Amino acid sequence: MQTGKLEEYKMLRTEILNCINLNNTLATFCATATGAILAFALANGNPFLFLIPMAIIVPTEGRIFHYRKNVMKISAYMMVFLEPELTDIHWETRHKKLAAPLDADARTGAPPEDGFHSRSLHYGRVFRHYGGFILCLVCYLLFLAYFLPSRD
């Protein structure tokens, strides 16, 4: 019984790592494609080209959200159904306990007070979910910056 649970645990850890890898790949693709399109738009000067990256950002962020949700579901399953029965393996439970102080600070919006490293981790955790929003905002602001003067 313990061997079956251990194999399931290893399989699910592999799936979590796969989701994290896909998430990172999509985030890199999104930022790179957006940067390339914005460089082309800046060179061309057509304000409507600044809106094209949104057609990449929105669906990509949807997939990134899907992978993050999968990681959360798998982690919860492992903590509830597998880790209590495995004697020496409690990675997800320990990770949740270690991340809890930063998550509490993220909910209140207050940065931790114990040094630069903790604050940078806090802000990294808060802003990691807003990459697509920030890219869309940059695209829209560039669109406005080029579109409004051309109307005069």
Side-chain angles (χ1 to χ4, degrees), residues 5-15 78 89:
K5 295 280 186 184
L6 184 60
E7 289 302 314
E8 183 179 9
Y9 190 88
K10 287 178 183 178
M11 180 190 68
L12 291 173
R13 282 293 304 152
T14 303
E15 181 62 26
M78 292 168 72
I89 300 176

Side-chain angles (χ1 to χ4, degrees), residues 66-95:
H66 170 74
Y67 291 130
R68 286 183 182 152
K69 190 171 66 170
N70 280 352
V71 168
M72 289 186 289
K73 286 180 183 179
I74 294 169
S75 297
Y77 175 82
M78 292 168 72
M79 284 188 291
V80 172
F81 295 108
L82 297 179
E83 288 184 355
E85 296 182 25
L86 297 172
T87 55
D88 295 332
I89 300 176
H90 300 289
W91 164 255
E92 295 297 330
T93 305
R94 288 185 186 125
H95 180 264

Side-chain angles (χ1 to χ4, degrees), residues 100-113 118-119 121-127 130:
L102 287 175
D103 288 339
D105 290 332
R107 283 191 297 271
T108 63
E113 297 298 329
S118 294
R119 283 193 308 276
L121 279 176
H122 165 75
Y123 290 124
R125 289 176 64 89
V126 170
F127 290 118
Y130 298 111

